[in-house]
Amino acid sequence: MKKILLLLLLCLAFYARAQNPATMPQLPGIQANIKASLKAKISGTVMDAAQNKPVEFATVALLNPKTEKIIGGTTTSESGKFTISGVDEGTYRIVISFIGFENKTINNVNVGPEGGEVALGIVQMQTDSRTLNEVVVTAEKPLVEDKDDRIVYNADKDATNAGGSAIDVLKKVPLLTVDPDGTVTLKGSSSIKVLINNKPSSIMARSISEALQMIPAELIKSVEVVTAPSAKYDAEGTAGVINIITKNQLQGLTGGLNASVGSRRDNLGGNFNFKRDKLSITGYGGGNVNNYYGGSESVRQNLLGDQVISTIEQINTYKNRGRSGFGSVSIDYDLDTLNRIGLDASFGGDNRNTNSTRDTRVTSDDPQYFRRYNHSQNRNRNMDLNFNYTRAFKRSKEQEYTFLAQYNRNNNHSNYSLYQMPLPESEVIDYRERNNNDNQQNEFTLQTDFTYPLSTIKRRILEVGTKAILRDVGSDYRLENALDGSLNFQDDPRRANMFDYQQWVWSSYASFRMRTRNMWGFNLGGRLEMTNITADFVSTSTKFSDRYQNFLPNVTVSKRFGEERRLKLNYSQRIQRPSIFFLNPYVNYADPKNIQSGNPYLDPELAHSVELSYSTFTKKGTTVNAMVFGRQTNNAIERITTVDTSGVSSSTYRNIAQNATYGMNLFGSARPVKQWTISGSFGLNYNILNSTALQIHNENWSYQFNMNTSLQLPNNFSVQANGSYNSRRIQLQGQSSGFYYYAFSGRKEFKKQKVTLTANFENPFRRYNTIETLLRTPTFISDGSNYNVIRNIRLSVNWRFGKMDAGQNREKKRISNDDGKRG
């Protein structure tokens, strides 16, 4: 009986120790094992004392105060939090460091014998008043980062971008594909929205690919790819959003000049940044001259039943030379610690001249052989004006109110003149034609947003907002011709085109996000958008109006496993409105054998998207992101081409297809040794295009991959290389071939002089890139190829001046109009 009582008392003692370890007697036989199991962890949150914001990726070191040796450590997360696990009993010193801040030392951190958690709470860091010239940089930001809702490519860390344009930068961004003609696609779709500093730019209004050629790569700090935008974003862009962030320095006065010369492009530009106390001014600008050339060949067999009734062969060559300029100035002022206002303006323009020659040979009952010489000019001017007001609140740094206003204007003037002569070529001109086209787009936007934390622990956030966009687009197209080839031009009213188009979009959204203590994250939101359109196409006597509304939900669930791994699932609906490029009913006869027109009766596309992603990274710099996704677009807008009995093709746009893409993307980056980094991505898609109206079904597997590597050599030399390949792509009526790209670069830094020299070699072993296109329909069969110059060799020099203090800027709010499907 005594033994039983003694055993019960021993069990009760162990139970009491589990509830309160200090009350349990230490038995000699198991004391060592208990101590081994009672290791502690030290946690805290690092904040910027001046800005009251988390300090991301700060280094937290655990030191023995007697020997000053580092025992352990970690880095802070995006929310500024850190945890050092497996700490033995004792007294320690914590040292927290980050570039731009004074080191923070916490002495006498005591870890008791009972283990548990030592919570340091909020740790404030003060900005360093020394200049960056006195700071020793011990770590670099990775080339690619995986954030909560986006993948970030840090373009300023990539030497191969020197002397290039934004289109060259986007070629290296994970998930993106850039065709040789400059078309950008995301996860296999060109239905995207491109922003600059979180806001739309009027330079994108006419052509995204041409606008990206205007922006020098030296101005780009990073590119953000948002594949599953929350309800706070406009619902436009069924595949996602691309946000180009330009460089913006911190305290002090800094600047730089850059220049490059190349076989296809020359650049000259500069920037300056001033920030002192409450005032900051940023400006940049520059210009470039570019030279592109190429051509195309095509053979089209026109069918009637199973018989070939005519054949059209065309050979075209072109040379394009242009110059463009781009500049911006931004002024921000802190009224006090809670209120801030800002103004910024950007201006851009380009002039392009193109000379082309097209030979046309028609084999039929009525054969035709002729050559056309065409000279075209295009002048574009754009302007963006922005005002922003931000109000913060003392209650919480998460609580914020913003009011934003924006005005965009784009003016375009173009003209061409052509003359035609029979083949074989003679001095006889039998037809002349010339035109003038003036068009403009004005856009005015008002937006207000409010962010409110629902709990003091800041894990539950409510975001609400509303926006109104008013667009006004007009065009006046005049054409004259001389049917006898003389200089006696006459107006051709059949080919004149005047239109006035207004679009008003009103939207409101609400979004709720929450993060639990066990690292689950939830984001639930919805956006209601109402669109009203009125259009008057004067030349075609077509008046059109449309009104529709859409409710677009967005749900995201994520789970973090520590600070190094994350799993995320998202479902969203997105909309893509047709822009004026698709709606204008004007019939373009510039090529009389291939005419084109728009369709004012197009409806918007509506896409359902599901995305599952997993990402992980290690302290040694290895990052892995894996994604599987599915996207189905209903009412898809597709270009349709038909051929009549005379052999003339007509192309327009119709809502007659359903598109579906299912795929996966794998991205990884690593640093095998300190001086060598390597990254790459691989994507595999299954594409389905289906049109019940045309009884067409087309599907295929497609894939793409890219790689980027960089090696740091002694004496401030470095070399880089990158390359990519994209397999063939399908269209509703055919397919086009794949293409590849590669480049090498070498860089030398003269740090004392603040000068960097870079040599780039793009596709040095081939002059042209050729894309073959095959179209198969019941009325025609077409085989064609397009070739464009792709080889480019350039030398760039960059000089930096001034010095700055390493303070942090308050985030600037800007309008983001994510809408308008563009050609």
Side-chain angles (χ1 to χ4, degrees):
M1 186 67 179
K2 290 182 179 181
K3 292 182 179 181
I4 295 175
L5 291 173
L6 183 60
L7 183 60
L8 289 173
L9 289 172
L10 187 60
C11 292
L12 288 173
F14 271 95
Y15 176 76
R17 173 59 176 166
Q19 302 300 313
N20 185 2
T23 64
M24 180 177 179
Q26 300 298 318
L27 301 180
I30 59 174
Q31 185 174 2
N33 291 333
I34 293 176
K35 285 187 175 181
S37 66
L38 294 179
K39 291 183 179 292
K41 61 180 180 179
I42 302 173
S43 64
T45 302
V46 181
M47 302 290 290
D48 177 0
Q51 302 292 337
N52 193 30
K53 290 186 175 182
V55 179
E56 304 178 19
F57 310 118
T59 300
V60 183
L62 181 67
L63 287 79
N64 184 324
K66 295 180 180 180
T67 64
E68 293 297 327
K69 290 185 177 181
I70 297 177
I71 301 172
T74 186
T75 57
T76 59
S77 67
E78 295 177 1
S79 59
K81 296 181 179 180
F82 70 88
T83 301
I84 304 175
S85 303
V87 182
D88 294 323
E89 176 186 356
T91 300
Y92 301 93
R93 177 180 298 153
I94 298 286
V95 177
I96 306 173
S97 60
F98 190 67
I99 297 172
F101 292 88
E102 297 177 357
N103 287 355
K104 179 70 174 182
T105 301
I106 306 174
N107 295 307
N108 300 320
V109 178
N110 295 311
V111 176
E114 67 278 5
E117 180 177 1
V118 179
L120 301 179
I122 302 297
V123 180
Q124 303 278 3
M125 294 189 73
Q126 303 292 333
T127 55
D128 195 343
S129 59
R130 298 174 298 173
T131 66
L132 283 188
N133 293 333
E134 299 169 337
V135 177
V136 178
V137 179
T138 58
E140 287 190 0
K141 184 181 291 187
L143 186 64
V144 177
E145 296 179 277
D146 182 19
K147 298 293 184 74
D148 274 345
D149 63 342
R150 64 197 63 200
I151 290 178
V152 181
Y153 167 76
N154 294 303
D156 56 350
K157 300 299 179 184
D158 192 337
T160 61
N161 293 326
S165 65
I167 205 75
D168 300 309
V169 175
L170 264 59
K171 291 177 181 178
K172 306 161 196 174
V173 178
L175 303 179
L176 299 185
T177 298
V178 181
D179 292 352
D181 62 0
T183 301
V184 183
T185 59
L186 170 60
K187 297 188 300 184
S189 172
S190 60
S191 179
I192 55 178
K193 180 64 178 181
V194 180
L195 307 176
I196 299 177
N197 295 322
N198 296 297
K199 65 184 182 68
S201 174
S202 59
I203 67 171
M204 301 290 175
R206 182 168 50 88
S207 170
I208 290 177
S209 61
E210 291 178 7
L212 293 173
Q213 292 284 2
M214 292 173 54
I215 304 174
E218 282 79 9
L219 293 180
I220 299 176
K221 177 182 178 182
S222 61
V223 178
E224 301 176 346
V225 180
V226 186
T227 58
S230 69
K232 188 173 183 177
Y233 284 86
D234 288 350
E236 198 75 25
T238 55
V241 175
I242 300 172
N243 186 24
I244 298 174
I245 304 296
T246 58
K247 294 177 180 177
N248 183 24
Q249 304 293 347
L250 305 177
Q251 295 277 355
L253 175 63
T254 63
L257 295 174
N258 58 80
S260 69
V261 292
S263 56
R264 288 195 290 114
R265 182 183 176 92
D266 301 327
N267 295 335
L268 178 63
N271 66 86
F272 76 92
N273 306 271
F274 173 80
K275 191 173 192 306
R276 185 66 63 197
D277 299 325
K278 297 181 178 182
L279 177 67
S280 65
I281 303 174
T282 299
Y284 54 83
N288 65 74
V289 176
N290 54 69
N291 182 29
Y292 298 96
Y293 50 91
S296 63
E297 298 180 4
S298 66
V299 177
R300 188 176 75 234
Q301 295 179 318
N302 305 312
L303 308 176
L304 182 59
D306 295 331
Q307 301 297 317
V308 177
I309 59 174
S310 64
T311 301
I312 297 179
E313 298 179 59
Q314 290 188 311
I315 299 176
N316 178 65
T317 60
Y318 77 90
K319 290 185 178 180
N320 182 308
R321 185 168 181 84
R323 62 183 186 273
S324 62
F326 183 73
S328 176
V329 61
S330 175
I331 302 174
D332 296 285
Y333 186 76
D334 295 325
L335 300 173
D336 52 40
T337 57
L338 299 178
N339 295 274
R340 187 188 207 198
I341 60 172
L343 293 170
D344 64 80
S346 61
F347 306 88
D350 70 294
N351 293 275
R352 290 179 291 113
N353 293 279
T354 304
N355 292 295
S356 64
T357 303
R358 176 185 287 115
D359 289 351
T360 301
R361 291 176 169 86
V362 180
T363 303
S364 66
D365 294 337
D366 180 22
Q368 302 175 48
Y369 306 95
F370 59 88
R371 172 175 293 171
R372 282 193 168 188
Y373 291 95
N374 189 313
H375 174 73
S376 63
Q377 296 177 308
N378 192 293
R379 184 176 70 248
N380 184 68
R381 300 291 181 267
N382 56 77
M383 174 184 66
D384 300 334
L385 301 176
N386 292 272
F387 169 80
N388 65 85
Y389 166 73
T390 303
R391 166 63 191 250
F393 295 85
K394 293 182 178 179
R395 174 181 178 269
S396 169
K397 70 181 184 67
E398 297 284 353
Q399 186 172 346
E400 187 177 71
Y401 169 79
T402 60
F403 173 79
L404 310 168
Q406 182 182 75
Y407 173 71
N408 295 345
R409 182 178 180 87
N410 183 285
N411 290 325
N412 178 264
H413 172 80
S414 63
N415 64 78
Y416 72 80
S417 61
L418 65 84
Y419 61 90
Q420 175 181 298
M421 57 182 57
L423 288 175
E425 185 173 352
S426 64
E427 296 182 358
V428 177
I429 297 176
D430 58 9
Y431 179 77
R432 292 182 187 269
E433 180 178 296
R434 65 188 183 190
N435 93 307
N436 278 282
N437 183 23
D438 291 292
N439 60 74
Q440 64 282 328
Q441 175 172 316
N442 296 285
E443 180 178 282
F444 183 66
T445 307
L446 293 176
Q447 176 180 333
T448 182
D449 302 279
F450 183 60
T451 303
Y452 183 78
L454 298 177
S455 63
T456 56
I457 59 176
K458 303 174 184 177
R459 287 193 174 95
R460 298 175 178 85
I461 307 294
L462 178 65
E463 296 175 309
V464 295
T466 189
K467 174 191 276 189
I469 308 172
L470 178 61
R471 294 186 176 92
D472 189 348
V473 182
S475 178
D476 186 357
Y477 183 101
R478 305 285 182 178
L479 186 137
E480 299 176 312
N481 55 25
L483 301 179
D484 58 0
S486 68
L487 297 178
N488 184 24
F489 287 95
Q490 302 292 327
D491 286 332
D492 188 345
R494 297 178 302 109
R495 297 176 60 184
N497 181 40
M498 294 181 62
F499 66 82
D500 188 24
Y501 171 90
Q502 291 87 33
Q503 182 188 81
W504 180 75
V505 181
W506 175 83
S507 59
S508 290
Y509 75 91
S511 178
F512 171 75
R513 49 189 169 96
M514 177 181 69
R515 179 176 291 183
T516 66
R517 293 182 181 275
N518 56 358
M519 305 298 282
W520 280 95
F522 301 92
N523 192 326
L524 176 65
R527 189 177 188 92
L528 177 64
E529 296 197 348
M530 293 189 294
T531 306
N532 187 67
I533 296 173
T534 58
D536 184 4
F537 302 101
V538 178
S539 302
T540 58
S541 301
T542 305
K543 290 189 176 182
F544 170 75
S545 64
D546 196 9
R547 178 179 299 176
Y548 50 87
Q549 63 184 30
N550 303 88
F551 178 74
L552 304 153
N554 186 293
V555 179
T556 301
V557 179
S558 63
K559 168 65 175 175
R560 281 195 175 272
F561 304 91
E563 293 294 338
E564 298 180 352
R565 294 176 295 155
R566 184 197 64 192
L567 186 68
K568 183 178 71 172
L569 176 65
N570 171 269
Y571 166 77
S572 63
Q573 287 189 27
R574 307 284 292 169
I575 190 175
Q576 189 74 61
R577 299 179 187 87
S579 69
I580 192 64
F581 178 87
F582 295 87
L583 296 169
N584 187 358
Y586 167 69
V587 180
N588 185 349
Y589 291 94
D591 181 354
K593 300 301 179 182
N594 299 279
I595 62 177
Q596 303 175 30
S597 65
N599 179 3
Y601 302 104
L602 291 174
D603 292 323
E605 299 176 340
L606 185 65
H608 301 264
S609 178
V610 178
E611 179 182 300
L612 176 65
S613 64
Y614 173 80
S615 60
T616 181
F617 66 91
T618 67
K619 296 176 183 178
K620 294 184 179 181
T622 300
T623 299
V624 176
N625 177 275
M627 175 192 300
V628 293
F629 67 90
R631 181 181 64 251
Q632 178 174 302
T633 303
N634 298 322
N635 226 24
I637 299 173
E638 293 291 338
R639 181 174 177 175
I640 303 300
T641 301
T642 58
V643 173
D644 61 20
T645 55
S646 64
V648 176
S649 74
S650 300
S651 298
T652 189
Y653 299 92
R654 294 172 62 185
N655 293 104
I656 56 173
Q658 182 184 78
N659 298 347
T661 302
Y662 306 97
M664 58 82 66
N665 187 274
L666 180 65
F667 169 80
S669 64
R671 190 186 292 266
V673 295
K674 184 178 180 181
Q675 295 80 12
W676 181 31
T677 60
I678 184 170
S679 64
S681 66
F682 173 77
L684 179 66
N685 298 338
Y686 183 64
N687 311 291
I688 303 173
L689 301 179
N690 184 63
S691 173
T692 304
L694 295 180
Q695 297 182 340
I696 297 177
H697 183 86
N698 202 358
E699 60 186 69
N700 83 325
W701 287 95
S702 63
Y703 61 93
Q704 59 277 334
F705 65 83
N706 67 70
M707 293 196 68
N708 193 316
T709 184
S710 174
L711 180 63
Q712 186 69 41
L713 302 174
N715 301 319
N716 297 315
F717 279 99
S718 63
V719 292
Q720 281 189 292
N722 65 83
S724 64
Y725 177 79
N726 293 266
S727 68
R728 69 185 183 94
R729 298 154 295 162
I730 60 171
Q731 305 170 22
L732 186 61
Q733 294 179 303
Q735 65 179 19
S736 58
S737 61
F739 56 92
Y740 65 94
Y741 168 89
Y742 59 91
F744 311 95
S745 75
R747 181 171 65 175
K748 166 65 176 176
E749 293 186 68
F750 302 90
K751 292 191 174 181
K752 290 185 178 181
Q753 293 80 17
K754 299 182 179 179
V755 172
T756 302
L757 293 177
T758 306
N760 283 281
F761 306 88
E762 300 176 17
N763 303 279
F765 306 117
R766 62 188 183 123
R767 186 178 184 182
Y768 295 106
N769 185 82
T770 302
I771 299 293
E772 296 181 351
T773 302
L774 309 178
L775 301 178
R776 300 292 185 266
T777 76
T779 59
F780 72 92
I781 297 174
S782 175
D783 294 345
S785 63
N786 289 271
Y787 62 94
N788 300 283
V789 62
I790 195 170
R791 180 190 296 160
N792 188 31
I793 300 173
R794 64 177 183 264
L795 178 66
S796 305
V797 59
N798 183 282
W799 172 60
R800 304 174 303 279
F801 63 84
K803 61 182 181 180
M804 61 182 179
D805 301 329
Q808 286 190 341
N809 280 335
R810 291 172 60 178
E811 180 182 2
K812 184 169 182 175
K813 303 294 182 180
R814 290 181 170 91
I815 283 176
S816 301
N817 290 346
D818 311 319
D819 60 340
K821 180 171 178 128
R822 310 197 183 277

